[in-house]
Amino acid sequence: MAANDVILVGGGLSNALNAWRLKQQRPDVRVLVLEAGDRLGGNHTWSFHSSDVSPEALAWLRPLICRSWSEQEVRFPGHSRILATGYHSITSDRLHDVIAPALGDSVRYNARAISVAAGGVVLDNQERITGRCVFDGRGFPRDAKVALGFQKFLGLEVRTKAPHGLDRPIIMDARVEQFDGYRFVYCLPFSPTEMLIEDTYYSDKRDLDLPLLRRRVADYATANGYEILHVAREESGVLPIVLAGDNTAFWPVGQDVAASGLRAGLFHPTTSYSLPDAVRLADIVSRLPHFETATVAANLGGMARDHWDSRGFFRFLNRMFFVGALQGERRDIMERFYLLPQQLIERFYAGRLTNGDKAHIMWIMLKKPPLSILRAANASGPMAAWSFADRNRTHGQVPRA
Ligand SMILES: Cc1cc2nc3c(=O)[nH]c(=O)nc-3n(C[C@H](O)[C@H](O)[C@H](O)COP(=O)(O)OP(=O)(O)OC[C@H]3O[C@@H](n4cnc5c(N)ncnc54)[C@H](O)[C@@H]3O)c2cc1C
């Protein structure tokens, strides 16, 4: 008989939430998290909008949230705007500090799985661990057959010499010189003298020149009058932006292991942000009536494929953005997007667009130059989708396991 009811392979965002929620809601369920690293959650700052999650979920997430703001701002060459949408940040450190003690000996660190199957896991020291229900949450699958663009960034968490004067996040400051696709800077003011500044690109290329981006962050700070006293932390990422693929790309029909997080394709196609989906999955997992891999994999796999299908419009927009628009046009598209009503923008990030919202977005994208209708149309058909897949066929996708 298996010693564990649930084995969660990978102690990143999604599985940490799954484990924590199970501990809270189902203390009778024997959970084991196997994490290759020595902490839960890696090195990230995960942010989300208030409207991305339900009020109930926001309540249970509270202990993980380091900082919340009641509004956010965007800045473009032609207009700036303050949106009265709340914004919240969770850091890896906070996630580890809250969840690791709650899990106690239900988590094992430096436990790298080399084989993950329905009945259990083999670690790289050949140890076999059995469980009734196995979830694979090892991050974005390198072999997913999808065509990709990238959202890539380098962030420096800095302490400034004097108060920086920013009291709300700047989600996009696109009033910066444009390189490598669409470039913007993202700022999270954690305290009057602490701020995360991220230099970000929606790019066709996955390479990240870290020294160059560090200089660009420093230049941005100088240009805005933020004198950096020291850099407390650095984070970087190359997130996959899915342009095309089908609903079996992440979770094929018949896959006998359950999946979670990016591994399950549970992320917003246009931002690659996965926190809202991970929160929803954690609630679903904590309510599962039985923990048997075959049943759970069949049920959740169907849900993941439906989820993929429901988000085709976002992948279409990604194709318009990455293929239909010329490099220099991407910033104009984003600027026009941020003229849309606030509630529509909230539904966009929450992945809950109505048909009316979709029509509104298309109208604002296509109603005038610079986005060429012809190029957009060329970028939208299935033929084009598959040629993107061909173009990306040799991608190792993202540099994360
Ligand atoms: C720097 C950065 C910032 C981001 N910011 C945001 C944000 O603000 N908001 C948002 O919603 N999303 C954000 N994302 C995107 C996405 O939400 C994160 O990548 C998120 O961590 C994905 O969660 P996950 O659980 O699927 O994978 P991960 O959190 O990457 O977890 C995978 C875990 O599996 C472990 N692992 C890998 N291989 C093995 C193995 N063989 N055996 C055992 N363990 C293994 C890894 O060590 C890791 O801990 C960000 C991503 C990055 C990289």
Side-chain angles (χ1 to χ4, degrees):
M1 167 141 164
N4 305 289
D5 295 318
V6 179
I7 298 182
L8 299 161
V9 186
L13 175 66
S14 187
N15 275 351
L17 295 180
N18 285 339
W20 192 45
R21 209 62 192 131
L22 278 169
K23 279 279 173 192
Q24 290 172 342
Q25 300 292 308
R26 304 283 293 276
D28 53 308
V29 175
R30 294 162 303 172
V31 179
L32 179 64
V33 180
L34 299 171
E35 165 54 41
D38 55 10
R39 289 175 73 75
L40 296 173
N43 175 27
H44 307 75
T45 308
W46 296 286
S47 300
F48 62 101
H49 310 271
S50 297
S51 41
D52 290 345
V53 298
S54 66
E56 296 75 24
L58 190 56
W60 68 255
L61 281 173
R62 280 278 172 213
L64 304 178
I65 296 175
C66 298
R67 185 68 214 264
S68 293
W69 300 268
S70 56
E71 53 187 23
Q72 49 183 278
E73 186 174 344
V74 290
R75 298 178 178 176
F76 290 94
H79 85 288
S80 293
R81 183 172 173 193
I82 295 170
L83 295 127
T85 307
Y87 204 64
H88 312 271
S89 292
I90 294 173
T91 59
S92 294
D93 280 349
R94 174 65 74 88
L95 179 120
H96 178 85
D97 291 348
V98 172
I99 297 184
L103 297 184
D105 59 7
S106 294
V107 54
R108 282 179 57 180
Y109 301 100
N110 304 307
R112 179 172 292 279
I114 54 168
S115 154
V116 179
V121 174
V122 180
L123 301 183
D124 58 359
N125 63 3
Q126 303 307 320
E127 183 184 357
R128 285 174 189 278
I129 303 171
T130 56
R132 288 169 49 213
C133 185
V134 178
F135 280 84
D136 185 351
R138 289 177 291 171
F140 196 88
R142 285 169 180 271
D143 55 354
K145 290 187 177 49
V146 284
L148 297 179
F150 302 95
Q151 186 198 170
K152 57 189 187 182
F153 51 86
L154 168 102
L156 299 183
E157 203 173 301
V158 302
R159 184 175 281 274
T160 55
K161 206 165 177 181
H164 47 65
L166 201 66
D167 48 15
R168 67 178 78 85
I170 306 176
I171 302 303
M172 282 184 186
D173 186 348
R175 298 173 314 171
V176 290
E177 206 175 337
Q178 296 294 293
F179 309 103
D180 197 1
Y182 168 50
R183 175 182 177 225
F184 62 93
V185 176
Y186 169 90
C187 300
L188 296 180
F190 288 124
S191 80
T193 53
E194 289 166 307
M195 170 158 51
L196 176 67
I197 308 176
E198 274 184 6
D199 193 32
T200 308
Y201 302 79
Y202 270 79
S203 168
D204 300 327
K205 297 175 293 210
R206 54 184 289 181
D207 58 295
L208 204 53
D209 183 342
L210 295 176
L212 176 67
L213 268 58
R214 283 185 199 112
R215 283 200 299 280
R216 287 186 181 155
V217 170
D219 289 347
Y220 177 86
T222 305
N224 286 275
Y226 312 139
E227 199 178 336
I228 296 177
L229 200 59
H230 75 267
V231 175
R233 199 178 66 86
E234 175 174 315
E235 71 180 59
S236 61
V238 182
L239 310 186
I241 302 296
V242 175
L243 307 183
D246 69 33
N247 70 6
T248 59
F250 287 84
W251 198 324
V253 179
Q255 174 177 298
D256 60 356
V257 175
S260 48
L262 302 183
R263 199 80 173 184
L266 296 176
F267 55 89
H268 192 296
T270 304
T271 60
S272 211
Y273 275 19
S274 70
L275 187 137
D277 287 339
V279 167
R280 276 188 284 276
L281 181 68
D283 271 331
I284 292 169
V285 168
S286 72
R287 291 184 196 125
L288 286 172
H290 307 290
F291 291 96
E292 292 295 342
T293 312
T295 323
V296 172
N299 291 342
L300 294 187
M303 283 175 49
R305 286 186 290 276
D306 289 349
H307 176 83
W308 171 279
D309 291 341
S310 73
R311 293 191 168 180
F313 180 74
F314 294 96
R315 291 186 293 278
F316 167 71
L317 289 181
N318 292 348
R319 295 198 290 274
M320 290 206 343
F321 195 70
F322 278 90
V323 185
L326 298 176
Q327 292 270 327
E329 297 171 350
R330 291 180 186 171
R331 179 168 62 177
D332 301 304
I333 294 173
M334 286 311 302
E335 179 156 12
R336 274 185 279 157
F337 172 79
Y338 269 104
L339 292 170
L340 288 164
Q342 179 181 310
Q343 288 186 347
L344 191 160
I345 293 170
E346 291 173 354
R347 289 194 291 275
F348 178 89
Y349 285 116
R352 288 194 306 262
L353 290 175
T354 64
N355 287 337
D357 293 338
K358 293 176 189 174
H360 200 157
I361 291 172
M362 291 311 296
W363 177 74
I364 198 160
M365 294 297 158
L366 297 175
K367 73 174 177 172
K368 61 172 186 152
L371 184 62
S372 151
I373 293 175
L374 187 62
R375 269 184 278 116
N378 281 340
S380 67
M383 291 300 291
W386 285 112
S387 66
F388 307 152
D390 290 337
R391 189 184 72 172
N392 288 123
R393 184 163 286 160
T394 55
H395 273 173
Q397 316 301 6
V398 278
R400 296 166 61 76

